[in-house]
Amino acid sequence: MNYTKVKRYVVLGILFFLPVAFLLFLYPATHNYTPLDIVSDSVLDLDQFSSDNNEQIVLKDHITVLGFLGEKPMEHSIAASNLKELIYDKFKGFKKFQIVIVVPNGTQEETKKLREEISSYQDTRFWQFVYGNAQDIQTLFNSLKSKSPLNYDLATNAVFIVDKDLNQRGRIDDRKDNEKAKNKPVYGLSSYDCILVDDLKNKMGEDMRILFTEYRQKRKGEFNSEIRRANEITK
């Protein structure tokens, strides 16, 4: 018996079957993961807003990252660039994904400059700017759960995740493991700060991935988890 050949086949067999076994081990868990929490179920749509090409941009039936860059969008170019590089570039290939930035009427020239700055000749067709008056912008923002109000110029570095059913998604419990172990008070996460790279790269990136997994499982008829609602979290 050629023990060298036998040993080689055994090693090849282990290398082939080990990853398969690992995937089979993980497979049952994919049907029972914890979905991304609903933190508000009353987000308004964009009926009162216009777009650059007069196309009606809507939140319904889309997975949207919603932001507000106010009267001087170019002053928030760092936040926009972070959002583009860490979230838009990562998820722009997913069906029904969009980024919608809300700005006041009259900022069209600045938003054009901002788009040119962040695009770097790349495809930004899933990145929309919508325009409205101050009252409509404030009303839309008030339909979201947020720890901080809009600035005086209708801007914020925070962005929000809105699902296809106009629910705002986030985390009811955003405590770290060591905080849970110490029974620290529960605090949630309803928005993501575009200036904080860790917020976008880790927290928001992970939450977006979970949300897309949920919709993929729904399409396949495999989704069976109950989504928790943060009714107890005050706005």
Side-chain angles (χ1 to χ4, degrees), residues 47-58:
D47 301 329
Q48 306 303 318
F49 295 85
S50 61
S51 65
D52 288 318
N53 55 9
N54 294 320
E55 177 185 353
Q56 182 61 50
I57 306 300
V58 297

Side-chain angles (χ1 to χ4, degrees), residues 197-234:
V197 172
D198 181 66
D199 242 26
L200 294 182
K201 186 176 182 179
N202 297 321
K203 290 186 177 183
M204 191 175 197
E206 175 66 11
D207 290 353
M208 292 292 294
R209 185 191 64 79
I210 290 172
L211 186 56
F212 279 112
T213 298
E214 174 187 326
Y215 278 104
R216 183 171 64 251
Q217 290 192 355
K218 283 180 177 178
R219 289 196 302 270
K220 294 180 178 181
E222 299 173 348
F223 182 76
N224 59 9
S225 296
E226 287 295 323
I227 298 173
R228 295 172 293 169
R229 297 173 186 266
N231 293 329
E232 73 277 13
I233 298 179
T234 57

Side-chain angles (χ1 to χ4, degrees), residues 150-165:
L150 280 178
N151 296 337
Y152 69 94
D153 64 345
L154 302 174
T156 176
N157 288 323
V159 291
F160 307 84
I161 297 175
V162 182
D163 71 15
K164 294 182 178 182
D165 298 307

Side-chain angles (χ1 to χ4, degrees), residues 64-86:
T64 304
V65 174
L66 184 63
F68 300 78
L69 292 188
E71 297 171 354
K72 298 180 179 179
M74 283 298 295
E75 292 186 357
H76 302 278
S77 60
I78 294 177
S81 294
N82 288 345
L83 184 62
K84 193 264 181 186
E85 292 175 9
L86 298 175

Side-chain angles (χ1 to χ4, degrees), residues 65-212:
V65 174
L66 184 63
F68 300 78
L69 292 188
E71 297 171 354
K72 298 180 179 179
M74 283 298 295
E75 292 186 357
H76 302 278
S77 60
I78 294 177
S81 294
N82 288 345
L83 184 62
K84 193 264 181 186
E85 292 175 9
L86 298 175
I87 299 299
Y88 180 83
D89 288 350
K90 184 176 182 179
F91 295 103
K92 64 182 179 182
F94 286 81
K95 189 175 182 180
K96 294 295 185 179
F97 168 73
Q98 64 179 357
I99 286 182
V100 175
I101 303 298
V102 180
V103 287
N105 292 323
T107 58
Q108 282 82 348
E109 285 301 316
E110 277 215 36
T111 58
K112 182 179 179 180
K113 292 177 183 178
L114 181 59
R115 185 185 291 277
E116 291 173 353
E117 180 169 317
I118 66 175
S119 65
S120 300
Y121 304 102
Q122 295 180 17
D123 180 11
T124 56
R125 57 184 159 150
F126 306 113
W127 181 299
Q128 311 290 348
F129 288 99
V130 296
Y131 307 88
N133 62 47
Q135 181 177 346
D136 289 334
I137 291 173
Q138 189 66 62
T139 300
L140 173 61
F141 183 83
N142 290 344
S143 73
L144 297 158
K145 183 176 293 295
S146 176
K147 292 181 179 179
S148 302
L150 280 178
N151 296 337
Y152 69 94
D153 64 345
L154 302 174
T156 176
N157 288 323
V159 291
F160 307 84
I161 297 175
V162 182
D163 71 15
K164 294 182 178 182
D165 298 307
L166 301 180
N167 297 312
Q168 180 184 350
R169 298 297 190 99
R171 304 182 185 188
I172 293 174
D173 188 350
D174 191 39
R175 292 176 299 171
K176 298 177 182 178
D177 290 340
N178 63 333
E179 293 176 316
K180 293 178 182 178
K182 295 177 182 178
N183 291 319
K184 296 289 186 179
V186 174
Y187 59 86
L189 178 69
S190 55
S191 64
Y192 309 82
D193 192 330
C194 289
I195 298 299
L196 302 178
V197 172
D198 181 66
D199 242 26
L200 294 182
K201 186 176 182 179
N202 297 321
K203 290 186 177 183
M204 191 175 197
E206 175 66 11
D207 290 353
M208 292 292 294
R209 185 191 64 79
I210 290 172
L211 186 56
F212 279 112

Side-chain angles (χ1 to χ4, degrees), residues 22-79:
F22 180 70
L23 291 174
L24 290 175
F25 175 77
L26 290 179
Y27 180 77
T30 63
H31 299 278
N32 298 296
Y33 76 103
T34 301
L36 191 60
D37 301 321
I38 291 177
V39 297
S40 174
D41 58 4
S42 57
V43 180
L44 297 177
D45 214 326
L46 303 173
D47 301 329
Q48 306 303 318
F49 295 85
S50 61
S51 65
D52 288 318
N53 55 9
N54 294 320
E55 177 185 353
Q56 182 61 50
I57 306 300
V58 297
L59 303 181
K60 180 69 174 176
D61 296 325
H62 291 78
I63 296 175
T64 304
V65 174
L66 184 63
F68 300 78
L69 292 188
E71 297 171 354
K72 298 180 179 179
M74 283 298 295
E75 292 186 357
H76 302 278
S77 60
I78 294 177

